[in-house]
């Protein structure tokens, strides 16, 4: 059997198994397995280096108190990823493509430009996060770590040529590494479980700093590129042949979103718990990723510190891959322009190289990138809400009035919190 045939078979077999499942030939977990992939890839956006920085600060400064914010942010993320997938499944088009089809051309161009800025800001945060991991683990200059990050990311992106399944499995592997690393952290330094569960469900704030961090957690959780990418990924896998198969596919998609983002939420809560356990009493001033590593090393030893930095490296590399994939979708679906993957990667790496080369603090760069993302976030969120309500787009799959109200309320909440985050980021 040729290598090319082997490459195509993995995705072909998955698509074939999906068709059988949609026809009712596979049920339960066996039926769900062919559809696991898009939400797992999107979930990386909720475990990226920006989350590391915010969660470490939240746990170090306020202990377990802000766990409820992490839980709330994750529930909102689940809603929007599920809606994005539903839009792609029903319409057969990505969110960006539907914007091009249904919105005026000048508005589409403006949305595309804003989304390109978001893609670059996303890549900035994710590439720098991976570069920090390489730099600290292997004692290399940050710029060298950044260039290594770009080389590894480009190599991983080449697996896109082998169909949708290989890249999904690679990202799933990174998710597994991150999850295992935090399982190790919780085993080495178990949290106070009573406090953990209490603060996960009881809302509480204590002063302006906790408000700022709460806003940052929620405001930076729903990522523009994850919304665009999820709707695109579900369109190229398995095509439903009837409305009944389409409904079954939506149920499988919702189940995958629930599983993938529950895992992402647990990882984020574990980040906060680790920081609360290790830093809150005695090291509450830990606010940077490098400082967290160097503080963990003498406190808990090389295993705990190594697990932390390995998870950051896995997060940065995988989220860089996902960010570049989203950038491809944004360009080719908004303006119907395709460019080689190496050129796309080169364009998005320029801001990160400039930031590192001129000596900007890495954690500060992460924060700035989150502010840029906050500015752009309304674009996909509002577009999604507009399109998901249109009968000409959704046919008989328009979401219920109750769900529309919930989605609108969640959008309003996130946008208000992002507005507060932006105001707090302005110089006094």
């Amino acid at each position: 059997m040729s290598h090319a045939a082997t490459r195509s078979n993995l995705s072909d077999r998955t698509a074939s198994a999906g068709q059988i499942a949609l026809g009712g030939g596979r049920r339960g977990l066996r039926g769900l397995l062919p559809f696991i992939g898009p939400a797992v890839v999107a979930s990386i956006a909720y475990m990226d280096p920006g989350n590391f920085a915010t969660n470490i600060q939240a746990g170090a400064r306020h202990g377990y108190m802000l766990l409820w914010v992490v839980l709330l942010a994750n529930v909102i993320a689940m809603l929007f990823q599920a809606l994005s997938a539903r839009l792609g499944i029903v319409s057969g088009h990505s969110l960006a493509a539907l914007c091009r089809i249904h919105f005026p051309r000048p508005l589409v161009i403006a949305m595309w430009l804003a989304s390109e800025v978001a893609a670059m800001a996303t890549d900035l945060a994710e590439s720098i996060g991976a570069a920090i991991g390489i730099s600290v683990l292997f004692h290399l200059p940050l710029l060298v770590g950044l260039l290594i990050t770009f080389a590894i990311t480009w190599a991983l992106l080449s697996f896109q040529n082998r169909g949708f399944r290989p890249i999904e499995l690679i990202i799933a592997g990174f998710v597994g590494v991150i999850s295992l690393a935090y399982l190790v952290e919780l085993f080495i330094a178990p949290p106070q479980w009573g406090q953990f569960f209490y603060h996960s469900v009881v809302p509480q704030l204590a002063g302006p700093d906790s408000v700022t961090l709460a806003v940052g957690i929620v405001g930076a959780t729903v990522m523009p590129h994850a919304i665009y990418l999820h709707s695109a990924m579900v369109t190229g896998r398995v095509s439903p042949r009837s409305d009944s198969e389409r409904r079954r596919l939506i149920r499988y998609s919702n189940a995958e979103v629930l599983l993938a983002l529950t895992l992402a939420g647990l990882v984020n809560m574990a980040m906060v718990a680790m920081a609360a356990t290790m830093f809150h009493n005695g090291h509450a001033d830990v606010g940077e990723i490098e400082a967290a590593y160097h503080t963990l090393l003498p406190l808990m030893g090389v295993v705990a510190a190594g697990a932390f930095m390995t998870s950051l490296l896995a997060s940065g590399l995988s989220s860089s891959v996902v960010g570049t994939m989203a950038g491809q979708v944004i360009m080719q679906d908004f303006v119907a322009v395709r460019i080689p993957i190496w050129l796309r990667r080169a364009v998005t790496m320029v801001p990160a190289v400039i930031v590192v080369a001129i000596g900007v603090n890495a954690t500060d760069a992460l924060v700035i990138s989150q502010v840029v993302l906050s500015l752009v976030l309304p674009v996909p969120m509002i577009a999604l809400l507009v399109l998901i309500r249109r009968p000409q787009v959704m046919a008989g799959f328009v979401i219920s009035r109750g769900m529309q109200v919930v989605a609108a309320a969640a959008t309003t909440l996130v946008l208000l919190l992002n507005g507060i985050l932006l105001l707090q980021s302005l110089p006094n």
Side-chain angles (χ1 to χ4, degrees), residues 115-131:
S115 300
E116 287 288 358
V117 170
M120 289 188 180
T122 300
D123 195 77
L124 173 69
E126 293 158 350
S127 298
I128 287 179

Side-chain angles (χ1 to χ4, degrees), residues 40 44 47 52 137 169-185 263 267 271 306-318:
V40 173
I44 282 294
M47 296 181 280
F52 275 68
L137 285 174
L169 292 175
I170 290 170
I171 298 300
F174 280 116
V175 171
V177 169
I178 299 167
S179 303
L180 180 60
Y182 272 93
L183 186 62
V184 170
E185 297 283 5
L263 180 60
V267 168
M271 290 183 197
F308 169 74
M309 200 52 69
T310 299
S311 67
L312 175 67
L313 178 57
S315 167
L317 290 174
S318 55

Side-chain angles (χ1 to χ4, degrees), residues 41-42 84 224-234 322-323 325-326 329:
V41 172
S84 175
H225 70 292
I227 297 176
Y228 285 124
L229 183 60
H230 202 161
S231 63
M233 291 191 71
V234 297
V322 172
M325 290 168 61
V329 168

Side-chain angles (χ1 to χ4, degrees), residues 148-221:
I148 293 173
T149 296
F150 290 138
I152 295 173
T153 303
W154 183 84
L156 293 174
L157 284 165
S158 66
F159 282 89
Q160 281 187 287
N161 297 327
R162 305 184 180 188
F164 62 82
R165 201 53 164 176
I167 195 72
E168 291 175 353
L169 292 175
I170 290 170
I171 298 300
F174 280 116
V175 171
V177 169
I178 299 167
S179 303
L180 180 60
Y182 272 93
L183 186 62
V184 170
E185 297 283 5
L186 293 178
F187 179 79
I188 295 174
Q192 300 175 30
W193 290 110
Q195 291 289 308
F196 182 97
F197 290 115
Y198 175 81
H199 288 292
S200 295
V201 296
V202 178
Q204 188 178 0
L205 295 168
D209 183 66
S210 68
V211 175
T212 301
L213 280 170
V215 168
I217 291 169
V218 176
T221 291

